[in-house]
Amino acid sequence: MGCRVEEVGAADLVASSMTSVNGWLGPPWVKAGWFHAERILADAIEDGDTRARADAMVGRIEASDYRDAVERINLQTRPRDHAHGSCHKLVVDTP
């Protein structure tokens, strides 16, 4: 099976998760790169157990359920790592 490159606008994917009240955009993570990557890769994890672990990590980030900045950063990268392992999608950030 061959590979193909697609351009996906992260803004379109996160728009449905965004709310606006009196000029405030939220939730705060809609501006974060980890959230954009999670939205792009959301359907790339086919294994149910792996998907559940990735969802739990995202839930912890959203709830600020981590000890320190190091754990937060590790949580922000692991769901993407799980999706990359499936070899179905890869996020490449361009300027």
Side-chain angles (χ1 to χ4, degrees), residues 7-52:
E7 181 177 359
V8 177
D12 297 334
L13 291 172
V14 300
S16 65
S17 302
M18 195 176 312
T19 58
S20 177
V21 177
N22 294 328
W24 174 83
L25 292 178
W29 52 82
V30 297
K31 299 175 189 175
W34 70 265
F35 183 72
H36 299 174
E38 192 278 332
R39 292 288 75 217
I40 292 168
L41 298 171
D43 63 349
I45 302 173
E46 296 175 349
D47 176 67
D49 292 337
T50 303
R51 178 80 245 168

Side-chain angles (χ1 to χ4, degrees), residues 27-29 34-35 38 55-66:
W29 52 82
W34 70 265
F35 183 72
E38 192 278 332
D55 288 343
M57 286 182 240
V58 169
R60 286 186 60 201
I61 297 166
E62 291 173 353
S64 299
D65 181 18
Y66 42 83

Side-chain angles (χ1 to χ4, degrees), residues 47-89:
D47 176 67
D49 292 337
T50 303
R51 178 80 245 168
R53 284 193 305 276
D55 288 343
M57 286 182 240
V58 169
R60 286 186 60 201
I61 297 166
E62 291 173 353
S64 299
D65 181 18
Y66 42 83
R67 288 184 306 271
D68 53 27
V70 172
E71 185 175 31
R72 177 183 50 82
I73 291 167
N74 284 328
L75 286 170
Q76 290 172 345
T77 59
R78 285 189 193 132
R80 289 180 293 192
D81 294 343
H82 287 304
H84 290 172
S86 70
C87 297
H88 293 287
K89 290 186 176 183

